[in-house]
Amino acid sequence: MLTLDGYLLAPRREQFTLAVDTYETWSLLLPRSGSFAFEVTGVQPGSARFGDLVICPPGGSLHRRMQSPAAIFHARFSTSLQPPAGRTRLHDLDRLRADLTMLEDDFTDLIAAHVVTDLVLMALRAHREQPGDKLVQQATTYLHDHFTAPDLSLAGLADQLGISPAQLSRRFKSAHTVTPVQYLRGIRLQKARQLLAETNETLQTIAEQSGYRSAFYLSRVFTNHTGRSPSDYRRASRV
């Protein structure tokens, strides 16, 4: 369900080492103290303090700036789940404190993987508990069920649901913080990453299984949104 690619438990500091970074996998920032301003690609900018979890999707850029000196937990991970991008306010702060205590007492790969998994699950739960939009839920399910269809379009999806493309895009972004087109691309690129890392299939076969008509088009989209070609990603994943 989740593979940890890297993590850092940073002590209290007055500024980030990097003001912006782009990640090939999911990434998260969790303030243990202090606060910081952030901007994630396709998401409303904001600020985060203890109890907030900031998640950046694969291929997205994460801008950050300290507002007050902060201690931060940072992690990069791969997952088949779809965590909510941007800031999520976690509801169970006692559980969050227990996770952080485990990290501070026994900072190992196993504990870090457990904590990141728990943070993602708490974020998903908090997101689900927000007032729902049934039409957006139908649209989301449809995208997951039909992402391999290369003809899938915003107009076609809106027609299926009996709503205009503009209304669907507005309501979908309100719920997910990204448009249906961006969400669909995320699903497809995640599938492509999985196939590149776990199989020896040709790029054309991977393209077809990920919802793209050709290896050329997949390669262009993959490179534009991850900063690395599919062949480079496959080689790095096999090291």
Side-chain angles (χ1 to χ4, degrees), residues 3-239:
T3 302
L4 192 60
D5 299 317
Y7 58 93
L8 173 67
L9 192 65
R12 185 174 179 271
R13 57 180 61 174
E14 295 186 357
Q15 62 183 12
F16 287 100
T17 303
L18 295 174
V20 60
D21 208 346
T22 300
Y23 304 97
E24 295 179 3
T25 57
W26 292 93
S27 64
L28 64 81
L29 284 178
L30 176 71
R32 295 150 55 215
S33 65
S35 64
F36 63 87
F38 71 88
E39 183 175 348
V40 175
T41 302
V43 177
Q44 185 73 22
S47 62
R49 55 188 172 85
F50 180 77
D52 293 327
L53 181 65
V54 176
I55 297 179
C56 181
S61 294
L62 175 57
H63 299 252
R64 54 283 181 110
R65 175 179 54 80
M66 291 295 189
Q67 293 178 312
S68 64
I72 302 290
F73 176 57
H74 169 64
R76 293 176 288 106
F77 59 96
S78 301
T79 181
S80 57
L81 301 172
Q82 285 293 321
R87 179 185 59 203
T88 298
R89 184 69 184 171
L90 303 180
H91 298 164
D92 193 341
L93 297 187
D94 288 338
R95 182 171 163 183
L96 174 59
R97 291 187 184 96
D99 280 343
L100 291 175
T101 297
M102 280 194 295
L103 275 178
E104 293 161 358
D105 290 347
D106 189 10
F107 194 48
T108 62
D109 290 352
L110 182 62
I111 294 298
H114 167 79
V115 169
V116 172
T117 300
D118 200 41
L119 290 173
V120 170
L121 292 176
M122 282 196 286
L124 286 167
R125 180 179 178 182
H127 194 66
R128 284 196 301 268
E129 289 174 350
Q130 294 175 354
D133 185 324
K134 295 296 184 183
L135 185 140
V136 171
Q137 293 172 5
Q138 293 175 27
T140 304
T141 299
Y142 192 90
L143 290 175
H144 279 281
D145 289 345
H146 297 86
F147 75 91
T148 58
D151 292 329
L152 183 56
S153 66
L154 176 62
L157 176 57
D159 187 58
Q160 286 271 350
L161 298 170
I163 191 174
S164 74
Q167 287 177 310
L168 173 58
S169 188
R170 176 181 55 79
R171 288 168 63 173
F172 195 98
K173 188 169 184 179
S174 176
H176 287 294
T177 72
V178 293
T179 66
V181 173
Q182 291 170 323
Y183 192 91
L184 175 61
R185 184 173 61 230
I187 298 173
R188 286 172 167 171
L189 289 178
Q190 182 64 26
K191 182 64 174 181
R193 287 188 186 88
Q194 176 191 346
L195 293 172
L196 286 166
E198 300 177 3
T199 76
N200 293 315
E201 297 287 359
T202 66
L203 191 58
Q204 179 61 37
T205 298
I206 290 174
E208 293 168 359
Q209 294 181 9
S210 302
Y212 295 105
R213 293 187 183 280
S214 70
F216 172 79
Y217 189 65
L218 168 60
S219 182
R220 186 173 69 179
V221 173
F222 195 97
T223 302
N224 284 345
H225 290 279
T226 70
R228 177 180 290 187
S229 70
S231 58
D232 286 344
Y233 182 85
R234 171 170 271 172
R235 279 193 296 271
S237 300
R238 299 298 174 86
V239 174

